[in-house]
């Protein structure tokens, strides 16, 4: 049980981070389309580089357990804001599910913010 407990945090950080890392790289490869989509809902396209940086760098920070609380807090806010901006069409069941997914991710990040990175984290090396 002790081994499972020590593996839960790094595996959990990896799983919650992957969606952001993959999505960030997807936004790079589909830059023009993503920028147009952002602008179609009233979000300035010039914010796209910041979004990409937050998704990739924030995702990697959480995954590696580096500055975990800061990255988790920023990603929680990002999940809530992007959910409201892009998925708040509650007449569309798929958008409602996407909105709820964003809230669930934000909840997971807030737990990381409150509890810290757990085992196998770069944050722990700084304390040693």
């Amino acid at each position: 049980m002790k081994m499972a407990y020590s593996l839960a945090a790094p595996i959990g950080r990896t799983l919650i981070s992957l969606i952001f890392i993959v999505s960030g790289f997807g936004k790079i490869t589909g830059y023009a389309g993503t920028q147009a989509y952002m602008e179609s809902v009233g979000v300035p396209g010039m914010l796209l580089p910041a979004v990409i940086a937050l998704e990739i760098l924030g995702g990697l920070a959480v995954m590696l357990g580096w500055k975990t609380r800061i990255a988790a807090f920023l990603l929680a806010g990002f999940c809530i804001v992007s959910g409201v901006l892009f998925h708040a069409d509650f007449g569309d069941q798929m958008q409602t599910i996407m909105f709820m997914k964003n809230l669930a991710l934000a909840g997971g990040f807030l737990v990381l913010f409150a509890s810290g990175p757990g085992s196998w984290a770069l944050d722990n090396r700084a304390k040693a």
Side-chain angles (χ1 to χ4, degrees):
M1 188 63 163
K2 186 175 181 180
M3 177 63 105
Y5 182 78
S6 71
L7 291 175
I11 291 170
R13 289 193 322 265
T14 298
L15 293 175
I16 200 170
S17 297
L18 281 175
I19 192 171
F20 295 93
I21 297 166
V22 171
S23 180
F25 281 110
K27 285 174 175 63
I28 293 170
T29 61
Y31 195 94
T34 303
Q35 189 175 37
Y37 179 61
M38 288 172 64
E39 291 171 350
S40 76
V41 297
V43 177
M46 68 182 189
L47 294 177
L48 184 53
V51 168
I52 292 168
L54 177 61
E55 286 187 334
I56 294 173
L57 298 176
L60 287 171
V62 168
M63 180 184 285
L64 298 172
W66 182 74
K67 304 290 185 186
T68 307
R69 285 190 160 111
I70 295 167
F73 185 77
L74 292 172
L75 286 167
F78 175 79
C79 288
I80 293 167
V81 170
S82 62
V84 169
L85 290 173
F86 297 102
H87 303 300
D89 179 3
F90 301 115
D92 179 340
Q93 184 179 13
M94 183 54 70
Q95 291 305 315
T96 301
I97 291 169
M98 297 294 283
F99 181 82
M100 297 301 292
K101 175 224 21 134
N102 277 44
L103 292 182
L105 285 166
F109 283 124
L110 290 174
V111 169
L112 270 175
F113 172 72
S115 64
S119 61
W120 296 9
L122 292 177
D123 287 343
N124 297 334
R125 290 184 52 165
K127 296 175 187 174

